[in-house]
Amino acid sequence: MEFLDVVFNRRTTNGPFRPDPVSPEHQQLLIRAAAAAPSQFNSQPWRFVIIEDRDTINTVASISGESMTEVMSSGTFFNRYKKYFRFSQKEMDTLRSGMLFDKLPALLRPFTSRAFTPSGQNLMNKLRVPQTLGEENRKLVAGSPLLLGVMLERGEYRPEELSGFYSVFSMGAAMENLWLTTVELGMGIQFVSFPMEAPHNWQRIVEMLRVPEDLELMAVYRLGYLPERTHRPAIDWSSRERKRPSQFVFRETCDVPQEGWDNDVRPGSG
């Protein structure tokens, strides 16, 4: 596959993977690609933990499902991220950012207009919508053949210092390399984010993975091979739109938007 084809075909996988284990050769290639990323002074601050043990994956899945239920029941999730939610194509066409929820789970469709109101939250809780979605999330993570924990050296990751920026920037480059490599290998990848929304649950994962004191667990991803045929999952969104260059590119100074590039915007995804 040509490099630019890989870039423009990168996706976030919201659905299930094939049950096949990820081959050792592909695991090694993914890590080699990540390690090829640039870092300040060649510090290479990233560390990775590869998880295939079924009991560990199931436990992480349970924690993720519990976390989703918790933050959706409390309203924390909607309040924190509502500015990114789009519920109509017209809104997405105007803003060209965020997530278009054009296929809401059946349980959520009646609450589209009231998702961010106290009455809507109370009704969703009464109908146990957060529990249903949490169970969907648990099953999705549990069906992953491989999890990947990404860590940073605490000596480099110091948020109050410039080195903290450098280390996070380098980790982002490393993960983008790995992410693009999944496209070449016919694999998918998704951030297991909900445990991070509930810090006490994130700490459970830190302890289970025995992350040492000198490392900070930054993220966990689920990976696997993509099935030949896919159906959009119950919890799904569309994020193919990208801002037009005139919305985020300037010429010479930040007073002058870039002109003439808006007709050549390629789609991306989450």
Side-chain angles (χ1 to χ4, degrees):
M1 188 179 290
E2 295 293 330
F3 175 71
L4 288 181
D5 290 333
V6 169
V7 171
F8 290 117
N9 282 287
R10 183 204 59 78
R11 298 284 184 271
T12 294
T13 304
N14 299 321
F17 299 126
R18 284 164 34 197
D20 316 53
V22 177
S23 73
E25 294 79 14
H26 286 173
Q27 292 182 31
Q28 184 178 12
L29 182 58
L30 289 168
I31 296 302
R32 284 179 57 202
S39 59
Q40 180 73 0
F41 295 117
N42 196 28
S43 55
Q44 304 173 63
W46 47 70
R47 300 291 183 271
F48 301 97
V49 54
I50 298 169
I51 304 151
E52 293 184 285
D53 179 76
R54 185 44 47 191
D55 289 340
T56 303
I57 291 174
N58 286 337
T59 301
V60 172
S62 294
I63 293 172
S64 183
E66 291 168 19
S67 301
M68 185 176 191
T69 296
E70 179 180 328
V71 299
M72 287 200 161
S73 296
S74 67
T76 304
F77 181 78
F78 293 116
N79 289 332
R80 187 173 295 166
Y81 299 113
K82 61 185 177 183
K83 67 178 182 178
Y84 302 114
F85 295 170
R86 316 285 180 246
F87 294 107
S88 73
Q89 188 63 53
K90 180 179 179 181
E91 186 181 19
M92 178 60 89
D93 289 343
T94 300
L95 298 172
R96 301 192 66 83
S97 65
M99 300 295 190
L100 173 61
F101 287 84
D102 61 334
K103 180 179 182 286
L104 283 170
L107 282 169
L108 278 183
R109 288 172 201 154
F111 309 105
T112 300
S113 62
R114 293 193 292 161
F116 309 127
T117 66
S119 63
Q121 183 69 57
N122 290 337
L123 185 55
M124 282 197 293
N125 290 350
K126 202 170 286 186
L127 296 176
R128 297 182 61 81
V129 172
Q131 285 81 359
T132 300
L133 296 180
E135 176 59 14
E136 289 289 334
N137 179 267
R138 183 200 66 77
K139 290 190 291 188
L140 194 66
V141 177
S144 307
L146 185 143
L147 300 181
L148 181 72
V150 187
M151 299 163 286
L152 284 178
E153 284 188 77
R154 286 187 186 273
E156 299 290 335
Y157 177 62
R158 292 171 288 182
E160 72 282 0
E161 298 184 19
L162 194 54
S163 67
F165 163 76
Y166 292 148
S167 65
V168 173
F169 193 88
S170 299
M171 182 188 73
M175 284 308 303
E176 181 71 0
N177 279 6
L178 188 151
W179 204 305
L180 293 176
T181 304
T182 65
V183 181
E184 178 71 20
L185 299 178
M187 295 177 61
I189 181 171
Q190 185 185 34
F191 185 20
V192 182
S193 60
F194 276 100
M196 298 186 75
E197 304 286 341
H200 56 285
N201 282 342
W202 187 247
Q203 184 59 32
R204 291 166 62 191
I205 295 177
V206 170
E207 293 171 1
M208 181 172 56
L209 299 182
R210 298 172 62 183
V211 178
E213 287 294 323
D214 62 335
L215 296 179
E216 177 86 13
L217 182 65
M218 302 296 291
V220 173
Y221 293 86
R222 52 183 289 266
L223 296 95
Y225 296 110
L226 294 173
E228 290 185 10
R229 296 182 180 179
T230 60
H231 298 283
R232 291 187 68 182
I235 304 172
D236 193 23
W237 53 81
S238 170
S239 60
R240 299 294 306 281
E241 287 80 359
R242 287 296 183 267
K243 288 182 177 291
R244 297 180 179 88
S246 61
Q247 294 176 290
F248 67 93
V249 182
F250 305 92
R251 177 66 66 175
E252 307 301 347
T253 73
C254 294
D255 297 324
V256 184
Q258 172 66 47
E259 295 182 355
W261 291 1
D262 285 1
N263 292 330
D264 191 33
V265 177
R266 300 199 194 192
S269 184

